Amino acid sequence: MKSTFLLLNNIEWSLSILGESAILLTLPTLLPHKLDKIHSTVFLLERANIPTITEVVPAYESLAIFFDVFQTNLPQLLKQLQEIPPQTQQINTNKIIHKIPIAYDLGLDWEFVERATNLSKTEIIQRHLAPTYQVAMMGFIPGFVYLSCLDSTLSCPRKENPRTKLPKGSVGIGGNQTGIYSLSSPGGWQIIGQTPHSFFKENATPPNILNVGDSVKFYKLEERMTSDK
């Protein structure tokens, strides 16, 4: 996979070719505020509205750009990207604030999380509720939500042996992130609760309810909900 560089949004990205219809742009290693740079570039691309770009997929330090090979080719795409004017003022990436309830009583891994953090369940819940999180990226399954801004004292390793099935709506901690399983699936994060809300609707356009750049504020669901197995 050959790498070169592309100037976009006043950033010199490392550019790698991903097959015939996608490129990967990676931020410089020492660049600060990487997530903000990723999100502002995504919004810049959305505003540019290049019709041959079929999808832009952001991650923590990179973004992938997919394009229609029947309507353009790589040199033409790169030329169009380089011609996009850079962002001249700061973009407010926190587009929407979602208030999401969590039933912490449905957490599956409280014993491990308390031991790993050396904190009580009450303290963990308080610290988990405190931040306003930002949707950093989506994956590894449809609708899975990766949230940044987790309190560093709540960081926990992923499970050595992932579960084969988790209920949809499971809220977990994996490393220094918290996230939501929008669908029932296998999973290796430490589960501290569940939300009754669904964030992926396969027949909707777009199917994701939460999107990159949105903000999330959790609140405690006092009445115990029924776990959806």
Side-chain angles (χ1 to χ4, degrees), residues 81-206:
L81 293 175
Q82 290 172 323
E83 291 174 347
I84 298 175
Q87 184 64 33
T88 56
Q89 59 185 14
Q90 186 172 353
I91 298 175
N92 179 14
T93 59
N94 297 331
K95 298 181 291 185
I96 302 173
I97 298 178
H98 303 265
K99 295 183 178 180
I100 297 174
I102 300 181
Y104 287 102
D105 286 344
L106 294 179
L108 304 175
D109 296 301
W110 276 114
E111 183 177 345
F112 180 91
V113 175
E114 288 177 89
R115 187 170 64 249
T117 60
N118 198 30
L119 296 169
S120 70
K121 181 178 178 180
T122 298
E123 290 174 308
I124 293 167
I125 291 172
Q126 289 174 344
R127 297 186 189 199
H128 192 254
L129 289 172
T132 297
Y133 297 95
Q134 187 177 31
V135 179
M137 57 180 283
M138 310 295 290
F140 63 104
I141 58 172
F144 186 92
V145 184
Y146 291 88
L147 299 172
S148 63
C149 305
L150 179 71
D151 187 317
S152 61
T153 63
L154 301 185
S155 179
C156 289
R158 293 169 175 79
K159 302 183 78 64
E160 292 184 5
N161 298 302
R163 290 185 173 91
T164 58
K165 186 177 182 181
L166 284 171
K168 70 176 181 180
S170 293
V171 178
I173 294 174
N176 60 356
Q177 307 166 95
T178 190
I180 306 170
Y181 291 79
S182 291
L183 300 175
S184 176
S185 77
W189 288 29
Q190 309 295 343
I191 303 304
I192 60 171
Q194 289 182 41
T195 176
H197 289 192
S198 175
F199 306 105
F200 182 80
K201 299 184 183 300
E202 59 183 20
N203 296 320
T205 304

Side-chain angles (χ1 to χ4, degrees), residues 40-100:
S40 68
T41 303
V42 169
F43 299 137
L44 195 67
L45 290 169
E46 290 176 348
R47 192 177 64 181
N49 194 29
I50 298 174
T52 54
I53 292 178
T54 58
E55 189 174 10
V56 177
V57 181
Y60 277 98
E61 298 187 352
S62 64
L63 61 90
I65 300 175
F66 293 80
F67 58 94
D68 186 342
V69 295
F70 295 104
Q71 297 188 53
T72 191
N73 56 42
L74 182 59
Q76 290 173 340
L77 175 68
L78 296 181
K79 184 175 184 294
Q80 288 179 299
L81 293 175
Q82 290 172 323
E83 291 174 347
I84 298 175
Q87 184 64 33
T88 56
Q89 59 185 14
Q90 186 172 353
I91 298 175
N92 179 14
T93 59
N94 297 331
K95 298 181 291 185
I96 302 173
I97 298 178
H98 303 265
K99 295 183 178 180
I100 297 174

Side-chain angles (χ1 to χ4, degrees), residues 1-4 14-19 22-26:
M1 187 167 61
K2 185 178 179 181
S3 293
T4 182
S14 175
L15 185 152
S16 302
I17 310 302
L18 299 179
I23 59 175
L24 181 70
L25 302 182
T26 304

